[in-house]
Amino acid sequence: MNPPRSLYVHIPFCRHICPYCDFPKLLLSTGYQERYTKALLNEDTRYQGLHFDTIYLGGGTPSALDASLLKLILEELVRRHGTPKEFTIECNPEDVNPRLVSLLKACGINRISLGVQSIKESTLKMLGRRHTPEDAARAIALCREAGIDNLSCDFIYGLPGERMDDLKNDLDWVRKENLPHVSFYALQLEPHTMFAIQKVQPPSDDTLSLYYDTIDTALRSMGLDRYEVSNWARPGFESRHNTCYWRGDPYAAIGYGASSYVDGVRAVRTRSMTDYLAGKYIFSSRAESLAEQEFDYLMCNLRLRDGFSLKDFKERFNKDFLLAYADRIEALRDDLEIDDSRVRVKRDKLYILDSILVDLLDFSSLR
Ligand code: SF4
């Protein structure tokens, strides 16, 4: 197996908890910041000697961490692993100020992902977000002034009560801000979140499909191409880090609740802060069978505009995709595009990716 070329670093602290969120997180006020930083850097020693092409700090809210601790983590990662080609941090707009941005720049961060979610004030309130639309615009301007132009903004659509006009306003804002990368995720009602408990009602599938089409058409007209089901970028601004996940390549990870995939082993870290601080990092760890690796590979790669290469599939799984899946390919001939070298989902069929995967993959192989 190849060594991982990407490292994910989880910073779990948030100033508040959003009602739709299922990520591993804790309130900042729990006061674990310093001990967590120490435990995190200690866990990182498992990857001693590895150089990473991409490092991604996600959360939680990395920008909420005490600035001196954030600086320590960033400097230590660079000292141990070298400066990655793509060095990303997730920030909430309300945290972005000139001091934070110059610290990030000085530590080598060259890509910032902002959790904007919406530019409508009442929607932001419903989502439990603390920033205003003005905060988001100000954060983008500050990043650019500091010379960090590789910016991405996350949005959520399919919210209860959302109207087409709201979505169009978000898209107009993306155009105005001239962003090189955006993600639009449909609201997922994850079990145990406040939205799920409140039985929040998302729009119908037909409405969601119309919204998705509207998003793709508008972003395409701005020069942002959909390179993954929920991600659009100008050429050269695709997220290298996330593409590693979608390609099924190995990746390292450290931090509370984080998952890694190295040498065919998927390891999930604990969501108990007590255990994490005590150095009991791993909650579960399992070597995937070749059938599971193949399942994951197809599920992730078909999310990508470019799909996967038949040669790569053969090298990884020692079989010919076209022969092994012949009967299912025939049934999906209206949905898949297959040429001599690649397999991809047709552009206008990406919105039904889930049902294509159900028809293509053998879910019983996972039992
Ligand atoms: S959505 Fe982000 S800011 Fe909100 S609770 Fe989840 S991780 Fe924290």
Coordinates of all heavy atoms in Angstrom, one line a residue, residues 12-18 20-25 59-61 92 117 127 129, ligand 1:
P12 N -12.1 20.0 17.5 CA -13.6 19.7 17.7 C -14.4 20.9 18.4 O -15.6 20.7 18.6 CB -13.5 18.5 18.7 CG -12.3 18.7 19.4 CD -11.3 19.4 18.5
F13 N -13.7 22.0 18.7 CA -14.4 23.0 19.6 C -15.3 23.9 18.8 O -14.9 24.4 17.7 CB -13.4 23.8 20.4 CG -12.5 22.8 21.2 CD1 -11.2 22.7 20.9 CD2 -13.0 22.1 22.3 CE1 -10.3 21.8 21.6 CE2 -12.2 21.2 23.0 CZ -10.9 21.1 22.6
C14 N -16.4 24.2 19.3 CA -17.3 25.2 18.7 C -17.8 26.2 19.8 O -18.0 25.8 20.9 CB -18.5 24.5 18.1 SG -18.1 23.4 16.7
R15 N -18.1 27.4 19.4 CA -18.6 28.4 20.3 C -20.1 28.1 20.7 O -20.6 28.5 21.7 CB -18.5 29.8 19.7 CG -17.1 30.2 19.5 CD -17.1 31.7 19.1 NE -15.9 32.0 18.4 CZ -14.7 32.2 19.0 NH1 -14.7 32.2 20.3 NH2 -13.6 32.5 18.4
H16 N -20.8 27.4 19.8 CA -22.2 27.0 20.0 C -22.4 25.8 19.2 O -21.6 25.4 18.3 CB -23.1 28.2 19.5 CG -22.9 28.4 18.1 ND1 -21.8 29.1 17.6 CD2 -23.6 28.0 17.0 CE1 -21.9 29.1 16.2 NE2 -23.0 28.4 15.9
I17 N -23.6 25.1 19.4 CA -23.9 23.9 18.7 C -25.0 24.2 17.7 O -26.1 24.6 18.1 CB -24.2 22.7 19.6 CG1 -23.1 22.5 20.6 CG2 -24.6 21.5 18.9 CD1 -21.8 22.1 20.0
C18 N -24.8 23.9 16.4 CA -25.9 24.2 15.4 C -26.8 23.0 15.4 O -26.4 21.8 15.6 CB -25.2 24.3 14.0 SG -24.0 25.6 14.0
Y20 N -28.4 21.3 13.3 CA -28.4 20.3 12.2 C -27.1 19.4 12.2 O -26.9 18.5 11.4 CB -28.5 20.9 10.8 CG -27.4 22.0 10.6 CD1 -26.2 21.6 10.0 CD2 -27.5 23.3 11.0 CE1 -25.2 22.5 9.7 CE2 -26.5 24.2 10.8 CZ -25.3 23.8 10.2 OH -24.3 24.7 10.0
C21 N -26.2 19.7 13.2 CA -24.8 19.3 13.0 C -24.6 17.9 13.6 O -24.9 17.7 14.8 CB -23.9 20.3 13.6 SG -22.2 19.7 13.6
D22 N -23.9 17.0 12.9 CA -23.6 15.7 13.3 C -22.1 15.5 13.4 O -21.6 14.3 13.6 CB -24.2 14.7 12.3 CG -24.1 13.3 12.7 OD1 -24.2 13.0 13.9 OD2 -23.8 12.4 11.9
F23 N -21.3 16.5 13.3 CA -19.8 16.3 13.3 C -19.4 16.1 14.8 O -20.0 16.6 15.7 CB -19.1 17.6 12.8 CG -19.4 17.9 11.3 CD1 -19.9 19.1 11.0 CD2 -19.3 16.9 10.4 CE1 -20.2 19.4 9.6 CE2 -19.6 17.2 9.0 CZ -20.0 18.4 8.7
P24 N -18.2 15.5 14.9 CA -17.7 15.3 16.3 C -17.3 16.7 16.8 O -16.4 17.4 16.3 CB -16.4 14.4 16.1 CG -16.5 13.9 14.7 CD -17.4 14.8 13.9
K25 N -18.0 17.2 17.9 CA -17.7 18.5 18.4 C -18.0 18.6 19.9 O -18.8 17.8 20.4 CB -18.4 19.6 17.6 CG -19.9 19.8 17.9 CD -20.7 18.9 17.1 CE -22.2 19.0 17.4 NZ -22.9 17.9 16.9
G59 N -13.4 20.8 11.5 CA -14.0 20.7 12.8 C -15.4 20.2 12.9 O -15.9 19.6 11.9
G60 N -16.0 20.6 14.0 CA -15.7 21.6 14.9 C -15.4 23.0 14.2 O -15.8 23.2 13.1
T61 N -14.7 23.8 14.9 CA -14.4 25.2 14.4 C -12.9 25.5 14.7 O -12.6 26.0 15.7 CB -15.3 26.2 15.0 OG1 -16.7 25.8 15.0 CG2 -15.2 27.5 14.2
N92 N -15.1 29.9 10.7 CA -16.4 30.5 10.7 C -16.2 32.0 10.4 O -15.3 32.6 11.0 CB -17.1 30.3 12.0 CG -17.8 28.9 12.0 OD1 -17.9 28.2 11.0 ND2 -18.4 28.5 13.1
Q117 N -23.0 29.1 4.7 CA -24.3 28.4 4.8 C -25.4 29.1 4.1 O -26.3 28.5 3.5 CB -24.6 28.0 6.2 CG -23.5 27.5 7.1 CD -22.8 26.3 6.5 OE1 -23.1 25.8 5.4 NE2 -21.7 25.9 7.1
L127 N -30.5 28.3 11.5 CA -29.4 27.3 11.5 C -28.5 27.5 12.7 O -27.6 26.7 12.9 CB -28.5 27.5 10.2 CG -29.1 27.2 8.9 CD1 -28.2 27.6 7.7 CD2 -29.4 25.6 8.8
R129 N -26.5 29.9 13.4 CA -25.2 30.4 13.1 C -25.1 31.8 13.8 O -26.0 32.5 14.0 CB -25.0 30.6 11.6 CG -25.3 29.4 10.8 CD -24.3 28.3 11.1 NE -23.0 28.6 10.7 CZ -21.9 27.7 10.6 NH1 -22.1 26.5 11.0 NH2 -20.8 28.1 10.2
Ligands
SF4_1 S1 -21.9 23.1 12.1 FE1 -19.8 23.7 12.5 S2 -20.0 25.4 14.0 FE2 -22.0 24.3 14.0 S3 -21.8 22.8 15.6 FE3 -21.2 21.8 13.7 S4 -19.0 21.9 13.6 FE4 -19.7 23.5 15.1

